[in-house]
Amino acid sequence: GWKWRRQQVIRGFVVDFYCPALGLVIEATFTSVRGVAADRSRSAVLHALGLRVLRFNRRTVIIKALNTTTKQP
């Protein structure tokens, strides 16, 4: 499998997950007006480095994780 780094620093940004082999960054973010603008500029820097960025809403990630871990067989 691929090696993933958690809380990796890239150009001064701490990204949630990073896979160097894939050039892929995965971020779980909060949604806010100020946050959207910051996410755009952050993504622009990461894209300029040749990285792909997948961004998911943090609340959705938490809810999906809880639903997955609490389901009965």
Side-chain angles (χ1 to χ4, degrees):
W2 292 297
K3 304 261 186 226
W4 288 87
R5 298 178 188 170
R6 196 171 138 244
Q7 298 297 301
Q8 176 70 40
V9 178
I10 301 175
R11 292 285 169 112
F13 298 113
V14 179
V15 300
D16 294 323
F17 299 97
Y18 172 57
C19 180
L22 298 174
L24 180 62
V25 171
I26 297 178
E27 299 252 71
T29 60
F30 291 107
T31 303
S32 71
V33 173
R34 203 176 320 153
V36 170
D39 288 346
R40 279 193 195 122
S41 63
R42 181 182 176 105
S43 290
V45 171
L46 296 171
H47 286 137
L49 296 171
L51 301 174
R52 290 177 292 168
V53 179
L54 292 179
R55 199 172 295 283
F56 297 95
N57 179 286
R58 184 164 289 187
R59 183 172 183 208
T60 302
V61 171
I62 292 169
I63 290 169
K64 296 276 187 189
L66 288 173
N67 286 340
T68 301
T69 58
T70 58
K71 283 188 179 175
Q72 298 296 322

